[in-house]
């Protein structure tokens, strides 16, 4: 009960402070998201940070929130995913993924549209991103951890809002990427480490991006990546919503400040 009370308090505080619902929860193999959040709470979330162990069922729950609710920002940077993998169709428009939420029609999307998720932070240690993981979603930025060695087919298919994909690979020798971006990224910028642009230009798996731009900073979301919080004191939620200028007035979660991701 103490944990649940903490969640209620956090939701109430963040809503009153900046007009959006942001929550941080800690899951385990025994206690997943569906046990920590009620359907009503989950459907009203705008952003969520999940720590601990995240199962395939938890990913399905997040997909359900983003399909049937308001969820646009997801931070998994401090969690461990089951099998160190983001499953196939993770945020695809498959309503059967979240039967516990499927009776909600208030935010339901028309057929042919996927999750509302715009921003997602994936954990270092992730090894695989499954086929069509974000297809048809509203994803705007995808930052692929350097530990990912297998990229499935068509992971960002028909992501009409996608602006940028960021990678940290300085070698592509051990990276499986076959059909991952085919025909889907002609209007998308690929951000690559400084000194590696030619490596990506010479790779048929990667040279279909509209532009390939080198960057210096491996760790943060810089101005080129999101256009948010560019050393102007403004703070944004991970889903791109302006949250003011005082980090101390905000609830726990992940924010973008001065062009960097900041955890509070």
């Amino acid at each position: 009960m103490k944990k649940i009370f903490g969640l209620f308090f956090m939701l109430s505080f963040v809503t009153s402070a900046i007009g959006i619902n942001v929550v941080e929860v800690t899951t385990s193999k025994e206690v997943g998201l569906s046990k920590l959040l009620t359907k009503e709470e989950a459907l009203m979330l705008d952003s969520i940070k999940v720590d601990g162990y995240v199962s395939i069922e938890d990913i399905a729950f997040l997909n359900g929130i983003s399909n049937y609710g308001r969820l646009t920002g997801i931070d998994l940077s401090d969690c461990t995913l089951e099998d160190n993998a983001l499953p196939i169709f993770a945020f695809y428009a498959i309503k059967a993924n979240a039967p516990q939420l499927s009776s909600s029609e208030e935010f339901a999307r028309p057929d042919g549209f996927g999750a509302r998720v715009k921003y997602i932070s994936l954990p270092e240690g992730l090894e695989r991103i499954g086929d069509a993981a974000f297809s048809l979603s509203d994803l705007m930025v995808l930052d692929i951890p350097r530990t990912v060695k297998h990229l499935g087919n068509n992971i960002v298919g028909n992501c009409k809002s996608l602006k940028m994909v960021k990678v940290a690979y300085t070698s592509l020798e051990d990276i499986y990427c076959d059909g991952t971006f085919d025909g889907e990224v002609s209007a998308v910028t690929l951000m690559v480490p400084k000194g590696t642009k030619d490596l990506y230009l010479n790779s048929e798996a990667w040279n279909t991006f509209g532009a390939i731009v080198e960057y210096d900073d491996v760790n943060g979301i810089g101005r080129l990546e999101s256009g948010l919080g560019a050393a102007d004191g403004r703070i944004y939620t991970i889903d791109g919503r302006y949250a003011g200028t005082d980090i101390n007035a905000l609830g726990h979660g992940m924010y973008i400040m001065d062009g960097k991701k900041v955890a509070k």
Side-chain angles (χ1 to χ4, degrees):
M1 292 300 294
K2 184 177 181 180
K3 180 67 176 179
I4 298 299
F5 177 81
L7 286 174
F8 279 123
F9 178 81
M10 189 182 299
L11 283 169
S12 176
F13 176 81
V14 176
T15 300
S16 63
I18 58 176
I20 60 174
N21 288 337
V22 181
V23 69
E24 180 175 0
V25 296
T26 300
T27 52
S28 67
K29 290 184 178 181
E30 295 75 26
V31 180
L33 286 172
S34 63
K35 293 183 179 179
L36 292 174
L37 295 169
T38 67
K39 171 182 171 180
E40 290 73 20
E41 291 169 346
L43 289 172
M44 296 305 294
L45 288 177
D46 295 288
S47 298
I48 187 170
K49 184 177 191 301
V50 186
D51 304 319
Y53 179 84
V54 174
S55 67
I56 293 175
E57 289 75 18
D58 289 327
I59 294 296
F61 188 84
L62 290 171
N63 186 39
I65 299 173
S66 202
N67 268 278
Y68 291 96
R70 307 190 325 194
L71 188 67
T72 54
I74 300 172
D75 184 356
L76 303 175
S77 59
D78 292 321
C79 74
T80 299
L81 271 67
E82 181 176 346
D83 296 326
N84 291 317
L86 192 66
I88 62 171
F89 303 121
F91 293 98
Y92 190 72
I94 299 179
K95 297 181 179 181
N97 267 4
Q100 67 270 51
L101 298 171
S102 61
S103 61
S104 173
E105 299 298 330
E106 182 178 358
F107 302 107
R109 311 200 74 176
D111 290 341
F113 289 85
R116 287 182 171 88
V117 59
K118 294 180 179 180
Y119 298 94
I120 186 166
S121 294
L122 298 171
E124 291 293 327
L126 184 69
E127 298 174 355
R128 299 173 61 93
I129 296 178
D131 296 350
F134 298 102
S135 289
L136 295 170
S137 74
D138 290 345
L139 193 68
M140 297 181 69
V141 176
L142 177 60
D143 191 340
I144 301 174
R146 68 181 69 228
T147 54
V148 173
K149 303 301 182 184
H150 184 105
L151 294 162
N153 292 325
N154 208 30
I155 64 173
V156 291
N158 290 304
C159 289
K160 304 299 185 183
S161 299
L162 187 66
K163 304 298 182 184
M164 195 163 300
V165 173
K166 181 183 179 183
V167 294
Y169 306 129
T170 56
S171 170
L172 300 177
E173 185 176 350
D174 298 322
I175 310 303
Y176 179 86
C177 179
D178 185 12
T180 300
F181 302 113
D182 286 358
E184 302 288 350
V185 290
S186 60
V188 179
T189 297
L190 176 65
M191 301 293 294
V192 302
K194 187 175 181 179
T196 64
K197 182 176 180 178
D198 287 345
L199 176 69
Y200 290 87
L201 284 173
N202 292 323
S203 169
E204 292 184 1
W206 295 91
N207 62 11
T208 56
F209 283 85
I212 299 178
V213 178
E214 295 183 351
Y215 65 88
D216 288 316
D217 179 15
V218 175
N219 299 310
I221 295 182
R223 186 172 187 176
L224 280 174
E225 293 173 281
S226 67
L228 302 178
D232 58 5
R234 290 172 174 256
I235 303 170
Y236 298 83
T237 62
I238 199 69
D239 61 338
R241 302 187 185 207
Y242 177 60
T245 58
D246 184 3
I247 191 69
N248 295 317
L250 304 178
H252 293 292
M254 184 67 72
Y255 299 94
I256 301 171
M257 181 171 65
D258 292 334
K260 306 289 184 182
K261 287 185 285 188
V262 177
K264 180 178 184 291

